[in-house]
């Protein structure tokens, strides 16, 4: 796969003057504000979707989106990714097999994908609620390692430290800690970026687990299961649909993972606890 990225010149955040108040006292200061930009995804020249996303790691985003939306079956089917700056936003143009492009046209979204929604613009219930195949055996994770990862994750969230407004998705390999982190104002975009980054590097997606700084909504489980990731931990709550999908596909789903506390919602066999 050839990746050609232009020099975008589109910052991931802006600096803006603000009034900062505490009680009756205020100060004129500057604040860093995360950007969200329309990202148009095109396959073989044909528009597919427009997503609102943070303009970082867009090649990873494009590949991850293509995989988790089942537009392509493997990274090798994305022949090239080219990123272009436009006046209204950013275009990401991909070349894929023509047969896949016809399938993508059937799945095309007719609305802009909102920042907080991974399903916006899907035109049918079948498009929105996909059921991936069951995942494999996957990894086993100790509760101590999960606690350690949660303690270290903040240090890997560069953009969030600046703006306080973006989610992170982290890839962890048991015994090796956090390997990759991707950030975006949309939780599903951050996960797509992470999956794309892993796919570009040929990572074993059954050999690690994902931690996200968000709730575990349905599409987060769907995206993990669709590429064979077997373990997802979120710092906030899951949804009922996410729990049902995790049980159906065999994904271990952890919610409220904060400090040394967590709740196991589905498939607890992969999380190992120290016996008292």
């Amino acid at each position: 796969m050839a990746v050609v990225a232009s020099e975008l010149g589109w910052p991931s955040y802006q600096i803006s003057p603000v009034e900062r108040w505490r009680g009756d006292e205020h100060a004129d200061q500057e604040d860093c504000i995360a950007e969200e930009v329309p990202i148009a995804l095109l396959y073989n020249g044909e528009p597919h979707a427009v997503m609102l996303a943070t303009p970082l790691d867009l090649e990873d985003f494009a590949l991850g989106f293509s995989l988790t939306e089942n537009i392509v079956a493997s990274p090798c089917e994305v022949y090239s990714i080219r990123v272009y700056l436009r006046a209204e936003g950013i275009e990401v143009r991909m070349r894929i097999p023509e047969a896949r492009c016809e399938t993508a046209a059937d799945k095309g979204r007719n609305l802009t994908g909102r920042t907080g929604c991974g399903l916006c613009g899907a035109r049918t219930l079948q498009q929105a609620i996909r059921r991936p195949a069951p995942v494999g055996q996957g990894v086993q994770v100790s509760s101590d390692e999960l606690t350690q990862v949660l303690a270290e994750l903040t240090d890997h969230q560069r953009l969030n430290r600046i703006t306080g407004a973006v989610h992170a998705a982290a890839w962890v390999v048991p015994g090796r800690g956090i390997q990759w982190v991707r950030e975006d104002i949309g939780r599903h975009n951050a996960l797509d970026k992470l999956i794309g980054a892993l796919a570009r590097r040929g990572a074993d997606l059954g050999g690690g687990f994902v931690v996200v700084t968000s709730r575990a909504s349905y599409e987060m489980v769907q995206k993990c299961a669709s590429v064979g990731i077997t373990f997802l931990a979120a710092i906030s709550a899951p949804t009922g649909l996410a729990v049902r999908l995790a049980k159906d596909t065999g994904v271990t789903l952890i919610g409220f993972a904060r400090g040394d506390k967590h709740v196991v919602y589905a498939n607890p066999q992969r999380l190992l606890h120290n016996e008292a």
Side-chain angles (χ1 to χ4, degrees):
M1 175 181 58
V3 176
V4 180
S6 62
E7 292 296 329
L8 293 178
W10 203 307
S12 56
Y13 65 93
Q14 63 169 290
I15 299 176
S16 177
V18 298
E19 289 186 5
R20 197 177 301 278
W21 287 81
R22 174 174 292 181
D24 294 330
E25 298 180 355
H26 84 280
D28 293 324
Q29 297 179 347
E30 291 184 334
D31 199 9
C32 297
I33 303 172
E35 285 287 3
E36 53 182 344
V37 177
I39 311 294
L41 301 174
L42 295 87
Y43 294 93
N44 295 4
E46 294 297 321
H48 176 77
V50 178
M51 307 296 291
L52 287 171
T54 304
L56 287 174
D57 303 306
L58 295 182
E59 295 89 356
D60 293 339
F61 176 51
L63 179 56
F65 180 93
S66 301
L67 291 167
T68 64
E69 293 296 313
N70 200 30
I71 293 169
V72 298
S74 69
C76 66
E77 290 188 332
V78 180
Y79 302 144
S80 66
I81 303 174
R82 302 178 189 272
V83 182
Y84 299 94
L85 178 65
R86 305 302 190 199
E88 304 86 1
I90 297 170
E91 281 187 357
V92 184
R93 292 178 170 260
M94 288 164 277
R95 302 296 301 177
I96 63 176
E98 196 58 41
R100 293 290 187 187
C101 192
E102 293 173 3
T103 301
D106 293 337
K107 298 177 180 178
R109 299 185 178 195
N110 57 4
L111 292 172
T112 299
R114 305 301 196 265
T115 302
C117 176
L119 302 179
C120 291
R123 291 181 288 192
T124 67
L125 290 174
Q126 289 78 14
Q127 287 177 1
I129 308 299
R130 289 185 291 109
R131 299 284 178 174
V135 299
Q137 181 175 352
V139 295
Q140 289 192 316
V141 180
S142 73
S143 58
D144 287 345
E145 180 160 31
L146 179 59
T147 298
Q148 184 66 29
V149 167
L150 293 168
E152 295 174 355
L153 183 53
T154 300
D155 293 337
H156 294 264
Q157 296 176 248
R158 185 191 66 84
L159 184 57
N160 195 61
R161 286 201 305 273
I162 297 171
T163 66
V166 297
H167 291 296
W171 178 248
V172 188
V173 175
R176 294 168 55 192
I178 297 172
Q179 300 297 298
W180 299 98
V181 174
R182 290 293 182 266
E183 294 180 281
D184 196 278
I185 201 163
R187 64 189 182 279
H188 50 90
N189 295 338
L191 182 54
D192 275 338
K193 288 178 177 181
L194 179 66
I195 290 171
L198 295 170
R200 286 175 61 192
R201 291 161 176 82
D204 174 12
L205 295 180
F209 64 99
V210 169
V211 178
V212 293
T213 61
S214 68
R215 68 181 182 272
S217 49
Y218 163 82
E219 76 273 17
M220 304 296 278
V221 177
Q222 182 192 64
K223 287 178 182 294
C224 286
S226 67
V227 295
I229 293 171
T230 62
F231 190 113
L232 172 64
I235 68 169
S236 193
T239 64
L241 189 55
V243 173
R244 290 193 293 275
L245 183 65
K247 290 180 178 179
D248 288 346
T249 58
V251 171
T252 296
L253 180 59
I254 310 294
F256 294 108
R258 305 172 185 178
D260 62 353
K261 299 178 181 178
H262 52 267
V263 180
V264 185
Y265 289 90
N267 300 297
Q269 69 275 11
R270 296 188 184 92
L271 185 62
L272 306 178
H273 292 89
N274 294 326
E275 297 294 336

